[in-house]
């Protein structure tokens, strides 16, 4: 069992998953992110109406869905007092052009006025963010594991890295808590304790990818995430130097690898605390094969 999940009751979704479920290939597939600072109630689902009311929730969901952008709610660790201005982070995670910008708004409905077209070049809607941003899921109304395991990680990261750290709403995969996403790259982590999470952010600041607890890069499909991680375990390579097509991984310098990826059935387990156990399936990588040019 992971260090992060060791303190949980044995029947929680995170503790049950940590027994035998691989992390690789479990990151939510998201190419671009829109993160809104919202210190008030989030509700179980950010679009259900508790955060913004029914009408605005419906319009916001249509706006982000049309742009292919994932909306997350964020807040400062420790739930600091509400400010008049709210921070918005807009980020793209693909290696051919990963970027993050910070925009200030005074009301959530101002998001509807933003052009969310996702382009390779930064849209220049706000101020460039050059340091890695850490988003730690602490969405307790969605699952207790996220709150119990995520908040200590967010607190430790905030003490070390300050304003580049946020608690965030549901990211996908409660059972891999604590779950952390790094922007702009979209590299997603699970089951890291606070000190390991610090190491992951420090590696990102150096242009490196921390491998322990890595679930995958969000811009790739699940099998591609597994393939990329397998190649990274074989070679030392920077953050944006690999691209994935299916399970073929290509380096910017032309080197290419193929990685067989196989689905393996696991015993049933709950996807979330309190849910009924369901059959689970994990993806595993075979031997990495270098393709001669």
């Amino acid at each position: 069992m992971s260090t992060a999940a060791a303190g949980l009751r044995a029947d929680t979704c995170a503790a049950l998953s940590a027994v035998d479920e691989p992390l690789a290939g479990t990151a939510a597939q998201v190419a671009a992110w829109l993160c809104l600072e919202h210190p008030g109630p989030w509700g179980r689902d950010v679009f259900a109406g508790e955060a913004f009311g029914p009408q605005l929730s419906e319009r916001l969901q249509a706006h982000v869905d049309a742009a292919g952008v994932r909306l997350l709610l964020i807040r400062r660790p420790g739930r600091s007092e509400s400010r008049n201005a709210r921070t918005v982070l807009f980020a793209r995670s693909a290696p051919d052009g990963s970027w993050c910008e910070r925009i200030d708004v005074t009301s959530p409905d101002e998001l509807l006025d933003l052009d969310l077209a996702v382009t390779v070049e930064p849209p220049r809607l706000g101020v460039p963010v050059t340091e890695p941003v850490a988003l730690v899921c602490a969405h307790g109304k969605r699952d207790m594991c996220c709150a119990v395991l995520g908040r200590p990680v967010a607190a430790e990261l905030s003490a070390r890295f300050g304003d580049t750290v946020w608690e965030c709403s549901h990211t996908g995969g409660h059972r891999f808590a604590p779950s952390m996403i790094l922007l702009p790259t979209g590299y997603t982590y699970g089951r890291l304790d606070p000190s390991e999470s610090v190491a992951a952010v420090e590696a990102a600041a150096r242009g490196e990818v921390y491998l322990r607890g890595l679930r995958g890069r969000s811009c790739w499909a699940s099998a591609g995430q597994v393939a990329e991680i397998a190649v990274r375990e074989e070679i030392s390579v920077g953050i944006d130097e690999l691209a994935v097509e299916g399970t073929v991984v290509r380096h910017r310098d032309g080197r290419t690898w193929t990685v067989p990826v196989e689905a393996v059935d696991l015993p049933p387990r709950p996807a979330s605390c309190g849910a009924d156990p369901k059959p689970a399936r994990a993806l595993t990588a075979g031997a990495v094969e270098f393709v001669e040019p």
Side-chain angles (χ1 to χ4, degrees):
M1 183 179 295
S2 72
T3 302
L8 284 176
R9 295 197 324 262
D11 61 347
T12 61
C13 66
L16 292 170
S17 173
V19 172
D20 63 351
E21 191 167 7
L23 288 171
T26 65
Q29 188 174 4
V30 179
W33 309 83
L34 186 69
C35 308
L36 170 67
E37 183 179 4
H38 187 73
W42 290 352
R44 190 176 186 279
D45 186 325
V46 299
F47 291 120
E50 186 172 344
F52 310 119
Q55 292 184 342
L56 180 56
S57 296
E58 184 176 348
R59 295 177 66 195
L60 284 173
Q61 184 167 16
H63 188 48
V64 297
D65 287 352
V69 173
R70 172 75 176 269
L71 177 68
L72 294 179
L73 302 184
I74 57 176
R75 64 188 172 214
R76 292 297 181 194
R79 301 196 181 191
S80 57
E81 293 185 5
S82 178
R83 304 179 299 119
N84 289 331
R86 302 186 186 203
T87 296
V88 174
L89 301 172
F90 186 27
R92 180 179 188 265
S93 292
D96 63 338
S98 58
W99 44 259
C100 182
E101 294 186 343
R102 188 188 75 247
I103 307 156
D104 287 334
V105 300
T106 57
S107 173
D109 58 11
E110 293 179 47
L111 297 182
L112 298 171
D113 297 325
L114 294 179
D115 182 356
L116 300 181
V118 181
T119 57
V120 173
E121 297 297 324
R124 298 183 181 180
L125 296 176
V127 178
V129 178
T130 57
E131 296 297 318
V133 174
L135 307 176
V136 182
C137 184
H139 199 160
K141 280 199 173 181
R142 194 72 183 233
D143 191 276
M144 63 173 286
C145 290
C146 298
V148 171
L149 295 174
R151 286 173 185 160
V153 169
E156 177 67 21
L157 291 175
S158 180
R160 294 290 296 272
F161 304 108
D163 289 347
T164 60
V165 178
W166 300 85
E167 293 182 358
C168 72
S169 58
H170 176 56
T171 61
H174 322 293
R175 63 190 186 277
F176 307 119
S179 183
M180 176 176 70
I181 299 168
L182 297 181
L183 298 182
T185 61
Y187 279 109
T188 301
Y189 290 86
R191 303 180 189 146
L192 293 184
D193 65 23
S195 63
E196 293 166 335
S197 300
V198 167
V201 176
E202 290 176 337
R206 297 192 300 267
E208 302 170 1
V209 178
Y210 188 73
L211 293 179
R212 182 174 176 83
L214 183 58
R215 296 172 59 189
R217 187 166 191 168
S218 68
C219 59
W220 311 129
S222 296
Q225 295 172 18
V226 173
E228 185 198 359
I229 292 172
V231 171
R232 287 191 176 277
E233 289 174 342
E234 296 281 333
I235 65 170
S236 178
V237 60
I239 283 181
D240 286 328
E241 294 179 6
L242 296 180
V244 179
E245 296 178 13
T247 60
V248 176
V249 182
R250 292 188 171 87
H251 193 286
R252 281 183 175 177
D253 63 13
R255 285 179 291 167
T256 302
W257 300 265
T258 60
V259 183
V261 176
E262 179 183 5
V264 178
D265 290 327
L266 300 174
R269 77 263 335 272
S272 182
C273 288
D276 293 332
K278 294 182 179 179
R281 175 167 289 190
L283 298 179
T284 61
V288 176
E289 181 179 350
F290 178 69
V291 178
E292 295 291 344

